[in-house]
Amino acid sequence: MRLIIAEKPSLARAIAEALPERQGRVEGAIVAGETTVTWCLGHLLEQAPPDAYDPAFKAWRLDHLPILPGRWKLTPRPKARSQLAVIRRLLKGASEVIHAGDPDREGQLLVQEVIEHLGWQGPVSRLLVSDLNRPAVQRALGRIEDNGRFLPLYRAAQSRARADWLYGINLTRAWTLTGRQAGHDGVLSVGRVQTPVLGLVVRRDAEIRDFAPRPFFVLWADLAVARGRLRAWWVPGETHPLDDQGRLLAREPAAALATRLPGAEGRLAALETRDKRQAAPLPYSLSALQVDAARRFGLSAKAVLDICQRLYERHKLITYPRSDCRHLPEEHWAAARSTLEGACGADAPLRGWLAGADFSRRSKAWNDKRVGAHHALAPTGKCADLSRLEKAEGDVFRLIARNVLAQFYPPLATREVKAEFTLLGECFRARGQEVLEPGWKPLFSTRDEAPPLPPLSEGEACRVLEAGVEDRETRPPEPFTDASLIKAMMNIGRYVEDPAVRRTLREHDGLGTEATRAGIIETLLERGYLVRRAKALRATRLGSALIASLPEAVGRPERTALWEQRLGAIAEAGDDPAPFVAALIEDLHGLLAAADAGRLRQALAQARGEEAPSPGRGKPASRRRGAPARGRRRSPGASRGKGSRS
């Protein structure tokens, strides 16, 4: 018997329906001839709790830390025992096993850990399915690979799970017990990803809170030129009081010049014209889609992920959604016309966009070198009757289809004009943009662009019709939203202060993964560290106090971003995981030594707005027995399911 183990029931059904043999149902599986298809339910196994290694660890005590498993153990998840028993029984009669986890790091771990936990010693192949429609699954079944090729992916995911356990269990217990000594009654959860994300929000909130607005002043002049009129802005010289961005800090020079300008004549001293061509935005990765859907429709990151899962599993309208890639396989280009015609024919806006597509065009989106285990989100070709979808599902599907359709539109062609005028010996500048060819732009926006400048010739005369001074103020940074926080997690190098570390980070290295970023935000909300106010995400007093009490490095992204880079090296280059885990353990010893009841007491008091204790840091927490009085006894650092991040 050939046994296929899928990641979830929906994938198992899609695989079984693509097999040529007649199907029959048995408990926990589908039989099709000599092939049996069974499934996991997400993670069937999870990292064992500390007391599985030593019963004494059931009590939370500082003198137990750090807890460092010798031989790692997995334990069945409570609701998964019956399905695990089904797979155990089927393995006894199998001659070959096919691993059909999702095509990503966590999907590789999810099925393979079950195969190894149940002691299978026979051959294992790998089936990669990114589209649940029958033709796509049939093509995937014709390209089954050796699972050995994906062992580095498994080792990286396994290392991630163990690192999360070590970091989350030890630091959560340390800060929870220290919190009890500081007077806080409850669990203080610390994790290698969630805590740096919380730190981003806490620091942004502090910038907003501490921001002191400064006035600045701008002077404009409406000019008559040979073939029209335009507005130009004064560029004050260095003899005037300016800030580091060249903004004028005193009103008097602008006001004095404004009174002299009406009726003054000058000339166009310099003219620069530049034609630009901009290709369409690439198809979406999950995070890029979450950013756009949050901005356009106000959807949370988790809502977008859930919608994509329904579009993928239930409706079979899109390809695998948990992708970090924005490119498509080159072989998909030839079938793109039929795919998009099939997907878009039942929706009026999509039909309109489809009618303008030129399928002889080939954009840079089709690039095998940029496609890894999965490709960008795209329609599957199944007809999308959006009237039968929830509104948010239809909105998200249109975004996904639009970005693929846009690859068959011409570039946006614009002409940018920069003009510099001399008036009363002073410099005034104007900018304008003219759309030469709208290309793909109408698919993305129906808003009118800023009007272009009238036709200009260098050296021509101009005359001031009117002038005025505007009083403005510097503005604080905007609070994080789902969109901007997801974008920050994607591009975490921008928030790294250490230049040496920043140089080691590639632009695409980030906090979390496509599959976990939405969950990280929701976890911080559920644990009371963040609160959502309208669209803004703000840190609570407890969240701010936790960050203030931790060593600075725990709440900053540098360590975690570098960890993701090392995990990437394990997955992509086959690096040995042992040095990564060893470095983490060494790091833990130093972090645990920093647990400080005095510092935490002060941070909690300041968060409550109380008079803070003595500014002295206090004595390090004693290694006495203690456990959290209320809250979950189990550390949030333990693995909780696919893609969990503590």
Side-chain angles (χ1 to χ4, degrees):
M1 175 191 68
R2 182 175 69 159
L3 178 64
I4 301 177
I5 305 176
E7 178 162 328
K8 55 180 77 73
S10 58
L11 176 58
R13 289 193 295 271
I15 293 170
E17 290 168 1
L19 294 170
E21 296 85 359
R22 186 174 179 178
Q23 301 170 40
R25 290 270 180 169
V26 297
E27 181 188 0
I30 305 170
V31 178
E34 293 298 314
T35 300
T36 298
V37 186
T38 188
W39 53 82
C40 299
L41 304 166
H43 275 284
L44 298 183
L45 302 167
E46 61 188 0
Q47 293 294 329
D51 55 275
Y53 298 98
D54 186 336
F57 292 159
K58 195 172 185 68
W60 289 30
R61 292 177 49 164
L62 286 167
D63 58 359
H64 287 158
L65 305 180
I67 298 171
L68 305 172
R71 183 174 176 272
W72 287 88
K73 299 179 181 180
L74 296 173
T75 186
R77 295 171 67 84
K79 295 182 180 180
R81 293 182 184 277
S82 61
Q83 188 61 21
L84 195 65
V86 168
I87 299 174
R88 187 190 304 274
R89 172 176 54 79
L90 292 172
L91 282 172
K92 292 178 180 178
S95 58
E96 176 193 1
V97 169
I98 297 179
H99 178 316
D102 279 349
D104 60 10
R105 197 167 75 187
E106 205 65 27
Q108 187 66 32
L109 172 69
L110 191 151
V111 174
Q112 190 156 340
E113 66 184 4
V114 170
I115 294 170
E116 294 192 359
H117 180 75
L118 296 178
W120 171 256
Q121 299 295 320
V124 181
S125 302
R126 186 65 163 98
L127 173 62
L128 297 166
V129 177
S130 59
D131 178 341
L132 296 188
N133 287 282
R134 180 177 293 180
V137 179
Q138 287 173 333
R139 289 194 297 272
L141 285 164
R143 297 195 296 257
I144 291 175
E145 303 183 51
D146 179 3
N147 189 59
R149 285 191 53 210
F150 301 90
L151 286 179
L153 206 63
Y154 169 62
R155 293 191 186 100
Q158 185 183 65
S159 299
R160 191 277 309 158
R162 292 173 177 178
D164 284 348
W165 192 98
L166 288 167
Y167 203 80
I169 290 287
N170 285 292
L171 294 187
T172 294
R173 287 194 173 201
W175 258 259
T176 297
L177 294 170
T178 303
R180 280 178 56 80
Q181 297 179 8
H184 176 73
D185 192 11
V187 173
L188 288 175
S189 172
V190 182
R192 75 173 183 95
V193 178
Q194 73 168 44
T195 306
V197 173
L198 175 61
L200 287 175
V201 180
V202 169
R203 288 187 292 277
R204 173 63 59 84
D205 285 354
E207 290 175 22
I208 296 170
R209 181 192 66 232
D210 299 336
F211 181 81
R214 291 187 300 170
F216 67 97
F217 308 92
V218 296
L219 167 61
W220 54 264
D222 286 344
L223 308 180
V225 293
R227 287 177 282 181
R229 60 183 292 170
L230 56 86
R231 175 162 289 189
W233 302 85
W234 181 39
V235 183
E238 295 181 357
T239 57
H240 299 292
L242 307 176
D243 66 9
D244 57 0
Q245 296 186 39
R247 293 178 294 208
L248 183 67
L249 301 178
R251 195 178 198 281
E252 292 76 14
L257 181 57
T259 61
R260 299 165 52 210
L261 280 171
E265 295 188 352
R267 69 180 186 88
L268 176 54
L271 181 66
E272 180 183 340
T273 302
R274 182 183 178 191
D275 288 352
K276 295 178 64 177
R277 293 174 65 82
Q278 182 181 351
L282 290 168
Y284 284 116
S285 65
L286 175 60
S287 289
L289 176 63
Q290 287 169 322
V291 170
D292 274 8
R295 288 173 174 168
R296 182 176 285 260
F297 305 120
L299 295 171
S300 72
K302 183 177 187 301
V304 176
L305 175 59
D306 291 344
I307 288 167
C308 286
Q309 284 298 124
R310 295 197 296 273
L311 291 173
Y312 171 62
E313 293 184 8
R314 183 188 305 170
H315 305 298
K316 300 182 181 179
L317 291 175
I318 66 169
T319 56
Y320 179 72
R322 296 172 182 246
S323 172
D324 62 353
C325 179
R326 300 198 66 176
H327 290 80
L328 295 166
E330 293 172 14
E331 68 174 14
H332 285 203
W333 179 79
R337 180 173 194 150
S338 60
T339 299
L340 291 168
E341 286 177 345
C344 302
D347 180 68
L350 291 176
R351 282 200 308 272
W353 296 342
L354 183 67
D358 177 0
F359 288 99
S360 67
R361 290 186 173 275
R362 186 174 187 134
S363 79
K364 294 181 180 179
W366 283 271
N367 186 342
D368 288 345
K369 294 179 180 178
R370 303 296 297 271
V371 175
H374 32 246
H375 56 69
L377 281 67
T380 60
K382 181 180 178 182
C383 181
D385 183 356
L386 271 60
S387 67
R388 305 185 61 166
L389 301 181
E390 297 175 8
K391 181 181 182 302
E393 292 174 339
D395 289 340
V396 170
F397 178 78
R398 282 195 189 98
L399 289 182
I400 294 168
R402 178 201 66 182
N403 272 42
V404 178
L405 279 166
Q407 307 310 309
F408 299 100
Y409 274 71
L412 167 64
T414 58
R415 176 167 294 154
E416 293 186 354
V417 179
K418 298 179 183 179
E420 189 171 298
F421 297 87
T422 300
L423 294 159
L424 301 180
E426 298 287 342
C427 176
F428 286 76
R429 287 179 182 157
R431 293 189 179 190
Q433 184 183 81
E434 178 184 358
V435 176
L436 304 176
E437 168 60 57
W440 51 267
K441 188 69 173 178
L443 277 65
F444 287 73
S445 175
T446 57
R447 293 177 299 176
D448 292 332
E449 301 293 334
L453 297 179
L456 297 170
S457 301
E458 190 168 340
E460 71 174 270
C462 63
R463 182 171 56 86
V464 179
L465 301 173
E466 190 178 357
V469 179
E470 293 182 5
D471 297 0
R472 298 184 181 179
E473 271 192 344
T474 55
R475 296 171 59 88
E478 294 291 329
F480 277 116
T481 62
D482 279 75
S484 59
L485 188 54
I486 287 284
K487 194 167 185 178
M489 294 162 73
M490 292 167 62
N491 302 299
I492 200 62
R494 299 175 185 176
Y495 297 85
V496 172
E497 293 184 352
D498 187 326
V501 175
R502 182 184 292 173
R503 283 194 296 270
T504 70
L505 293 173
R506 301 188 300 271
E507 181 66 19
H508 64 268
D509 282 331
L511 287 177
T513 67
E514 305 295 318
T516 63
R517 287 173 184 142
I520 290 164
I521 295 173
E522 294 303 315
T523 295
L524 291 168
L525 290 163
E526 291 167 6
R527 290 176 178 167
Y529 298 150
L530 293 183
V531 64
R532 193 178 268 119
R533 296 174 183 163
K535 292 183 179 181
L537 293 168
R538 308 301 291 260
T540 62
R541 291 177 177 178
L542 180 60
S544 297
L546 178 59
I547 292 299
S549 72
L550 289 163
E552 184 179 10
V554 176
R556 297 200 63 88
E558 283 85 343
R559 175 191 283 107
T560 302
L562 288 171
W563 282 14
E564 286 293 344
Q565 201 172 55
R566 291 167 190 159
L567 290 170
I570 296 169
E572 298 164 16
D575 286 10
D576 182 1
F580 165 71
V581 177
L584 166 60
I585 292 172
E586 182 179 352
D587 203 15
L588 272 177
H589 284 282
L591 294 174
L592 292 170
D596 186 325
R599 179 174 177 172
L600 182 52
R601 186 181 300 111
Q602 184 178 23
L604 290 166
Q606 289 175 338
R608 291 191 295 263
E610 300 172 357
E611 183 177 349
S614 167
R617 290 190 52 173
K619 296 179 180 180
S622 61
R623 297 280 176 175
R624 64 175 177 82
R625 181 172 179 170
R630 288 198 294 270
R632 292 169 294 188
R633 289 289 300 266
R634 178 182 176 188
S635 165
S639 174
R640 293 190 173 274
K642 180 177 177 181
S644 64
R645 289 290 189 275
S646 60

